[in-house]
Every structure is written in C-alpha cells, then in structure tokens.
Amino acid sequence: TLSVSVGPVPDVSGQSVDSATAILADSGLSVGDTFEETSESLEAGLVIAIADREDGNSWRPGDAVTLIVSSGPPLFPVPDVIGLTRDQAKAALTEAGFEFEYNAFWDVVIDQATVVDGQDPAAGTERPKGTTVSMTISGSF
C-alpha cells in the first residue's frame, strides 16, 4: 500500500474559517468539523490551529481536518463593587484582573468618606480580564 502525503500542511492560524478552508482546499484537504476554544491572542472567529489527527499519521489528499476556532478571550464575572469605598472597589477590581476608572476628584477625598454607587459594566456580567470598569462615586459624609 502506498500512502501519498499532501506535503507540509499550510499554517492557517489567524485566518478566518472561510480563508483557512480555501487555503486547505488548495492543498487537497477539506474542513470537516470545527470547535471553539478561548484564545488570549486571537479574536473570535479566527482559526487557532488544525487539530491533531487521532491516529497520528500524516494528512493525505482528500482528508478532512478539524479546525480549532477562537471564541475570543476567556470571560470572567465583573465583581460587585457597589457599596464599597473607592479603595475597596479598586482593590476588588484589581484582584479580579480588571482595570477601573472614576472621576479623579474623588482622589482628594479620604477613602472612608466615599462610596461606589454605580458601575459599568454591571456586576456579574462577563468580560475579558483587563476590561475597564467605570465607577460612579459619591460622598458618605
């Protein structure tokens, strides 16, 4: 039995599924299944890689490959900072991997006299780490 390889399989990482499908077709391969996986570096809808063959053999003309497609970065719940002081909220957001912003006026007020009374995005919504949470702060004099 003679097995013919398709040669080096083209690197389709970073391509759209349609583009990857066309590139692979030019190499004599087709796309069978796709499945999603989170990716820190690739936006949703782009190909991360071609899944390994189950039997470990080389790809042959006419074989169908499985594409691993990015669903975007992993998402994490935004902590609830409403009711916390400015510094407590900053610490909670930082610990959870989020950035924060608020009116810089509140930096001149002692922490114990501040209370977070609003946030966007809302607590419990899921966002990628590094997302900035806007806080509205009022005085608790």
Side-chain angles (χ1 to χ4, degrees):
T1 301
L2 176 65
S3 295
V4 178
S5 169
V6 295
V9 176
D11 180 11
V12 293
S13 60
Q15 300 290 324
S16 69
V17 172
D18 288 343
S19 178
T21 301
I23 292 168
L24 291 167
D26 288 344
S27 295
L29 299 170
S30 63
V31 174
D33 294 325
T34 63
F35 69 90
E36 289 189 341
E37 205 173 270
T38 62
S39 171
E40 294 282 351
S41 59
L42 291 173
E43 66 185 56
L46 297 182
V47 174
I48 297 172
I50 296 172
D52 292 332
R53 278 184 68 110
E54 289 181 18
D55 61 10
N57 290 328
S58 298
W59 295 106
R60 296 179 304 269
D63 284 350
V65 303
T66 297
L67 295 180
I68 305 168
V69 180
S70 172
S71 61
L75 301 177
F76 300 89
V78 175
D80 185 359
V81 296
I82 294 176
L84 301 179
T85 67
R86 172 198 65 225
D87 291 348
Q88 289 171 332
K90 288 168 41 177
L93 290 168
T94 299
E95 184 177 319
F98 293 93
E99 302 291 324
F100 53 83
E101 67 182 8
Y102 56 90
N103 186 323
F105 161 80
W106 293 104
D107 285 333
V108 299
V109 177
I110 63 169
D111 183 55
Q112 295 82 2
T114 65
V115 64
V116 176
D117 56 16
Q119 72 179 78
D120 183 34
T125 58
E126 294 193 342
R127 298 288 189 273
K129 287 196 178 200
T131 296
T132 299
V133 177
S134 298
M135 299 185 291
T136 54
I137 300 174
S138 61
S140 62
F141 306 104

